[in-house]
Amino acid sequence: MFAPLFIIFGIAAGRAQSMIEEIAVGLYKLEIPLVNSPLKALNSYVVKGAERNLIIDTGWNHKESLNAMHGGLKTLGVDLRITDFFITHMHSDHLGLLPSLRTDTSCAYMNGPDADRFNSGVPVDAFIDFARLNGFPEDELEASLLKHPGFRYRATQKMFFQIPKDGDVIQVGDFEFTCIETPGHSWGHMCLYEPRRKILISGDHILGDISPNIQLWSDEWNPLKAYLSNLEKVSGFDIELVLPGHRGILRNARERILDLRHHHEERLKEITSVLEKGPRNAFEIGSQISWDIVYDSWDVFPISQKWFAVGEVLAHLRYLEEEGIIQRKMQNQLRVYSLTGKP
Ligand SMILES: [Zn+2]
């Protein structure tokens, strides 16, 4: 039934190279470069319909991303005046280019929690306070947040979004995409599922050779708990092909979901075993666990990677705390975590 075509060709669009892959008739993957990011590129999916097109996720608000996008759209003959957008979540690598692409006649869909947070602007002071509370070195705080690519290459203007709800269907040509709420990687992350072709456009909910970053930067929720339950939710769908927000497409959805669960279970164990040596703050824990990136040691991690790492530690700490396995207290104006003794 489903016959992927995989016609791959490169295009030169100025200096930027964009790679186009035809996934199914009328459905294309565009690789949009993310300069200097370990993610390398954002996968933007383009669905061409007889009347209107849909672009799913866009790339950073950066000229290399924009050039590659324009080059790809030109090759595919996409007219932006009859093109709508679906953004899986508010992170800049997915949303950043939207203001440069949408036209007066475009509709842009994004989930409600992310749309609200995006339009309220980046709470820089709250991020910095939270990071300080969790042991981030004072001298690196503000400069490092401002250097963070997610901050530098974000879309800066407020935007109107059409807010889809779980189960809503977006029709493009003969594609019928069901919106699936999958919070965890972001407040309101949303995937699209095409039941006839058994395709899941997974955003950053499921990725292949890298695990989606689950971060916590405020006390408002338990993102890891949400994420794990939404992995479970998605594993109930009949999926032949996962089209993720980064790296290659996947055919083994169930297996990958099990791997991701396992990854977080191991991470929880690793954090618990660091705390067996004594109380620690989140930044210290981050420096003492293993990270699957190319740098030799924690000290030489670029500061933006330390934000990702500490945010990820915090999401796991919140989960362990709610399970009653660890507790936190204030010590010298820092949050310090220790084991409760509960297995
Ligand atoms: Zn992403």
Side-chain angles (χ1 to χ4, degrees):
M1 66 158 286
F2 171 73
L5 305 166
F6 298 109
I7 300 166
I8 302 176
F9 49 97
I11 2 161
R15 277 171 54 240
Q17 287 285 315
S18 166
M19 189 88 93
I20 300 179
E21 196 171 323
E22 185 169 20
I23 307 286
V25 175
L27 170 61
Y28 305 87
K29 169 177 166 255
L30 254 65
E31 249 177 49
I32 307 297
L34 301 173
V35 177
N36 295 331
S37 165
L39 292 170
K40 298 188 177 93
L42 175 278
N43 296 332
S44 177
Y45 296 97
V46 178
V47 188
K48 288 189 74 181
E51 283 160 20
R52 295 193 72 80
N53 314 305
L54 183 71
I55 295 178
I56 300 147
D57 290 340
T58 62
W60 275 339
N61 180 14
H62 184 287
K63 67 177 189 323
E64 297 261 348
S65 296
L66 183 64
N67 289 343
M69 177 63 89
H70 278 318
L73 295 179
K74 192 173 174 199
T75 305
L76 292 175
V78 170
D79 178 351
L80 287 172
R81 289 167 303 179
I82 51 162
T83 299
D84 301 316
F85 297 84
F86 179 92
I87 307 297
T88 56
H89 62 291
M90 64 177 289
H91 295 162
S92 306
D93 48 335
H94 299 255
L95 172 66
L97 266 188
L98 178 62
S100 310
L101 300 172
R102 74 186 294 177
T103 64
D104 292 347
T105 47
S106 301
C107 171
Y109 301 93
M110 188 163 74
N111 70 78
D114 283 6
D116 288 348
R117 278 175 178 83
F118 172 76
N119 280 326
S120 345
V122 183
V124 173
D125 293 343
F127 273 136
I128 288 177
D129 289 346
F130 201 72
R132 180 186 291 123
L133 198 58
N134 286 289
F136 230 85
E138 190 70 33
D139 57 336
E140 298 185 76
L141 271 175
E142 192 165 346
S144 69
L145 181 62
L146 302 181
K147 262 195 265 171
H148 193 299
F151 184 82
R152 284 176 68 192
Y153 307 137
R154 72 196 189 283
T156 49
Q157 69 207 63
K158 289 189 180 192
M159 281 181 270
F160 176 76
F161 294 99
Q162 201 72 36
I163 311 287
K165 288 196 280 303
D166 194 53
D168 282 358
V169 173
I170 298 172
Q171 175 122 26
V172 195
D174 72 340
F175 288 81
E176 286 187 357
F177 294 105
T178 306
C179 300
I180 314 289
E181 280 176 356
T182 49
H185 178 72
S186 77
W187 298 92
H189 190 287
M190 209 171 232
C191 299
L192 290 178
Y193 178 61
E194 216 290 329
R196 207 156 57 85
R197 294 171 176 84
K198 300 181 181 174
I199 289 176
L200 181 77
I201 298 182
S202 66
D204 286 357
H205 186 53
I206 300 175
L207 299 172
D209 52 349
I210 41 179
S211 56
N213 186 244
I214 309 302
Q215 302 190 57
L216 178 76
W217 287 106
S218 83
D219 287 323
E220 290 164 78
W221 69 321
N222 182 341
L224 183 59
K225 190 170 186 178
Y227 180 69
L228 293 174
S229 90
N230 286 315
L231 276 183
E232 208 61 48
K233 176 180 182 178
V234 165
S235 72
F237 288 80
D238 184 6
I239 300 168
E240 283 186 5
L241 199 64
V242 179
L243 306 182
H246 305 278
R247 310 286 177 93
I249 62 177
L250 308 167
R251 298 181 169 282
N252 53 346
R254 289 258 157 79
E255 211 178 296
R256 185 59 188 148
I257 287 169
L258 291 175
D259 283 353
L260 289 169
R261 281 201 67 87
H262 181 71
H263 165 79
H264 290 290
E265 280 158 14
E266 291 299 306
R267 194 51 112 203
L268 291 166
K269 279 188 213 155
E270 197 179 4
I271 289 174
T272 311
S273 61
V274 168
L275 290 176
E276 274 164 13
K277 294 178 220 151
R280 302 272 194 282
N281 67 48
F283 191 86
E284 290 168 332
I285 297 167
S287 71
Q288 290 168 25
I289 61 177
S290 53
W291 298 103
D292 187 18
I293 66 173
V294 291
Y295 302 94
D296 292 337
S297 75
W298 175 258
D299 295 332
V300 297
F301 268 33
I303 194 73
S304 59
Q305 292 303 314
K306 286 184 183 168
W307 275 95
F308 283 119
V310 175
E312 175 125 351
V313 167
L314 284 164
H316 288 76
L317 289 170
R318 173 64 182 264
Y319 184 91
L320 289 168
E321 196 184 347
E322 277 192 26
E323 298 300 309
I325 294 165
I326 64 170
Q327 60 199 352
R328 79 170 129 97
K329 61 174 186 184
M330 289 299 292
Q331 200 178 310
N332 301 327
Q333 294 172 327
L334 296 179
R335 283 185 177 178
V336 173
Y337 292 84
S338 59
L339 298 176
T340 58
K342 183 185 166 187

